[in-house]
Amino acid sequence: MSKPAILDHPVHALIAERWSPVGFANRSVPPAELRSLLEAARWAPSAYNEQPWAYIVATREEPEAFAQLLGCLVPGNQTWARRAPVLMIGLARTRLARNDKPNRHALHDLGQASALLSVEATARGLQVHQMGGILPGAIASAYDLPQGVEAVTALAVGYPGDPDTLPDALAARDASPRDRAPQRAFVFGAAWGKSWE
Ligand SMILES: Cc1cc2nc3c(=O)[nH]c(=O)nc-3n(C[C@H](O)[C@H](O)[C@H](O)COP(=O)(O)O)c2cc1C
């Protein structure tokens, strides 16, 4: 299944074809593919090249680890994410290694890393569904997170499922249109709210 963006201006196919499925195919992701996704994250830019991101990874081939990670999602996300072959948690080191001051770009840089990971996934026929609906306290205790490390997102990774073989609720959600505000809502020129012409 694909769900390309309806574009107002042309972009690379990898950008248009990335989307966030809830229905995943019952198909494993080879470890080498996952390493390539994480390599894309590794090469993201970051403030001071601090690389404040970290990922915790669990595949369905590791049932205990997978169940632990699944249990760190809010129930609404667990309902569909349990079908994904791979789950990850995205974390950020929130203080700079160079001087222990707060890194106010840490979450931004984790987001960039996850964006590159997602585009690399699209290039390999995979899709990534990021989630903010996580249980940070559960993650901190389950994974013994040190001070200054914050769980920010979870990521479900897998091959999109065939709508004919998905449960109806998931197929319906994946069939819903993708939607974006137009550029004039967020691209400004002379002042905030003044569209850049
Ligand atoms: C940081 C972040 C948090 C998100 N949280 C959730 C979530 O908890 N549950 C969910 O189903 N989708 C979540 N999403 C997915 C968005 O709803 C989705 O990206 C958005 O609707 C646009 O759809 P698209 O990615 O298919 O273009 C999240 C996405 C991001 C980037």
Side-chain angles (χ1 to χ4, degrees), residues 3 18-22 74 77 80 128-134 152-153 173 178-180:
K3 206 170 162 181
R18 183 217 58 80
W19 66 291
S20 303
V22 290
V74 299
N77 284 331
W80 58 267
V128 176
H129 191 147
Q130 296 186 57
M131 291 161 260
I134 59 172
V152 183
T153 51
R173 213 172 137 182
R178 297 180 62 206
D179 185 36
R180 289 298 189 275

XYZ file of all heavy atoms in Angstrom, residues 3 18-22 74 77 80 128-134 152-153 173 178-180, ligand 1:
219
model
N 0.667 5.731 -0.133
C -0.240 6.835 0.204
C 0.475 8.143 -0.059
O 0.749 8.907 0.869
C -0.598 6.677 1.691
C -1.917 7.267 2.076
C -2.247 6.836 3.487
C -3.295 7.707 4.078
N -3.638 7.357 5.444
N 6.765 8.825 1.915
C 6.814 8.492 3.353
C 5.446 8.734 3.969
O 4.805 9.735 3.693
C 7.873 9.375 4.051
C 8.049 9.048 5.540
C 8.302 10.286 6.367
N 7.239 11.244 6.244
C 6.075 11.171 6.912
N 5.828 10.188 7.763
N 5.136 12.095 6.713
N 4.975 7.813 4.765
C 3.744 8.039 5.509
C 3.758 7.176 6.763
O 4.691 6.393 6.971
C 2.499 7.789 4.633
C 2.289 6.366 4.195
C 3.069 5.683 3.311
C 1.262 5.463 4.609
N 2.573 4.409 3.141
C 1.469 4.252 3.928
C 0.173 5.566 5.477
C 0.636 3.144 4.100
C -0.663 4.466 5.646
C -0.432 3.269 4.963
N 2.743 7.312 7.589
C 2.724 6.666 8.916
C 1.607 5.634 8.988
O 0.489 5.945 9.413
C 2.508 7.728 10.003
O 3.498 8.727 9.947
N 1.875 4.401 8.577
C 0.808 3.387 8.608
C 0.519 2.893 10.034
O 1.388 2.948 10.902
C 1.377 2.237 7.767
C 2.851 2.430 7.770
C 3.133 3.872 8.061
N -0.709 2.415 10.227
C -1.009 1.647 11.443
C -1.106 0.155 11.130
O -1.051 -0.667 12.037
C -2.305 2.121 12.148
C -2.122 3.482 12.782
C -3.491 2.114 11.199
N 1.402 4.131 25.135
C 0.049 4.310 25.660
C -0.861 3.254 25.017
O -0.593 2.795 23.897
C -0.497 5.741 25.405
C 0.368 6.796 26.089
C -0.646 6.047 23.927
N -1.846 3.371 21.312
C -0.798 3.027 20.345
C -0.481 1.535 20.371
O -0.130 0.953 19.343
C 0.458 3.852 20.602
C 0.320 5.283 20.111
O -0.416 5.552 19.168
N 1.023 6.205 20.753
N -2.343 -0.941 17.732
C -1.862 -1.185 16.362
C -0.365 -1.508 16.309
O 0.071 -2.293 15.470
C -2.200 -0.002 15.451
C -1.647 1.317 15.877
C -2.284 2.259 16.648
C -0.346 1.834 15.607
N -1.446 3.328 16.854
C -0.254 3.103 16.223
C 0.755 1.357 14.891
C 0.890 3.890 16.158
C 1.903 2.139 14.821
C 1.957 3.395 15.456
N 7.836 4.117 8.643
C 8.031 4.360 10.074
C 6.841 5.161 10.576
O 6.464 6.145 9.944
C 9.335 5.165 10.309
C 9.495 5.513 11.789
C 10.542 4.390 9.798
N 6.268 4.742 11.694
C 5.209 5.530 12.332
C 5.731 5.972 13.695
O 5.902 5.153 14.597
C 3.937 4.689 12.467
C 2.740 5.490 12.865
N 1.474 5.186 12.441
C 2.601 6.590 13.658
C 0.614 6.051 12.949
N 1.289 6.921 13.703
N 6.002 7.273 13.801
C 6.494 7.810 15.076
C 5.327 8.031 16.025
O 4.206 8.301 15.593
C 7.233 9.125 14.846
C 8.476 8.980 14.007
C 9.255 10.283 13.925
O 9.647 10.854 14.940
N 9.477 10.753 12.719
N 5.622 7.960 17.314
C 4.597 8.147 18.345
C 5.121 9.030 19.473
O 6.208 8.804 19.986
C 4.232 6.802 18.983
C 3.498 5.838 18.102
S 3.648 4.166 18.796
C 4.946 3.505 17.776
N 4.280 9.989 19.856
C 4.550 10.727 21.091
C 3.838 10.075 22.267
O 4.143 10.391 23.428
N 2.899 9.194 21.972
C 2.123 8.528 23.030
C 2.908 7.394 23.651
O 2.723 6.212 23.316
N 3.812 7.768 24.535
C 4.659 6.812 25.247
C 4.518 7.042 26.743
O 3.923 8.038 27.168
C 6.149 6.955 24.829
C 6.650 8.378 25.126
C 6.321 6.628 23.342
C 8.159 8.551 24.938
N 11.568 10.337 24.258
C 10.790 11.382 23.581
C 9.710 10.782 22.678
O 8.581 11.279 22.636
C 11.732 12.283 22.749
C 10.954 13.419 22.090
C 12.856 12.850 23.622
N 10.074 9.747 21.948
C 9.138 9.161 20.980
C 9.306 7.642 20.963
O 10.300 7.111 21.461
C 9.442 9.652 19.540
O 10.821 9.454 19.261
C 9.078 11.108 19.339
N -8.261 3.243 8.943
C -7.377 4.344 9.340
C -6.320 4.595 8.269
O -6.028 5.741 7.930
C -6.716 3.985 10.685
C -6.477 5.208 11.532
C -6.007 4.864 12.918
N -4.928 5.776 13.284
C -4.259 5.724 14.413
N -4.553 4.795 15.309
N -3.308 6.589 14.659
N -4.347 11.836 3.670
C -3.285 12.605 4.338
C -3.572 14.087 4.116
O -4.078 14.467 3.079
C -1.922 12.211 3.784
C -1.599 10.756 4.053
C -0.250 10.392 3.495
N 0.803 11.154 4.132
C 1.980 11.426 3.534
N 2.217 11.032 2.321
N 2.884 12.105 4.192
N -3.242 14.873 5.092
C -3.692 16.254 5.091
C -2.571 17.168 5.581
O -1.850 16.807 6.504
C -4.908 16.340 6.052
C -5.532 17.712 6.036
O -5.560 18.323 4.969
O -5.985 18.159 7.111
N -2.420 18.319 4.958
C -1.451 19.312 5.424
C -2.020 20.711 5.240
O -2.766 20.970 4.284
C -0.139 19.235 4.625
C 0.723 18.003 4.902
C 1.189 17.953 6.342
N 2.173 16.903 6.565
C 1.906 15.625 6.820
N 0.655 15.218 6.894
N 2.885 14.768 7.018
C 6.547 13.361 17.257
C 5.365 12.614 16.693
C 4.419 12.070 17.547
C 3.355 11.316 17.049
N 2.518 10.674 17.922
C 1.642 9.760 17.450
C 0.945 8.897 18.347
O 1.161 8.897 19.575
N 0.048 8.023 17.816
C -0.188 7.949 16.461
O -0.987 7.110 16.041
N 0.486 8.733 15.588
C 1.407 9.628 16.042
N 2.142 10.382 15.161
C 1.927 10.275 13.712
C 1.232 11.521 13.159
O -0.126 11.518 13.548
C 1.420 11.555 11.641
O 2.780 11.723 11.326
C 0.617 12.697 11.015
O -0.771 12.482 11.171
C 0.914 12.880 9.545
O 0.684 11.680 8.844
P 1.804 11.079 7.860
O 3.024 10.822 8.712
O 1.212 9.812 7.321
O 2.068 12.104 6.814
C 3.195 11.160 15.637
C 4.140 11.734 14.779
C 5.221 12.434 15.285
C 6.263 12.979 14.326
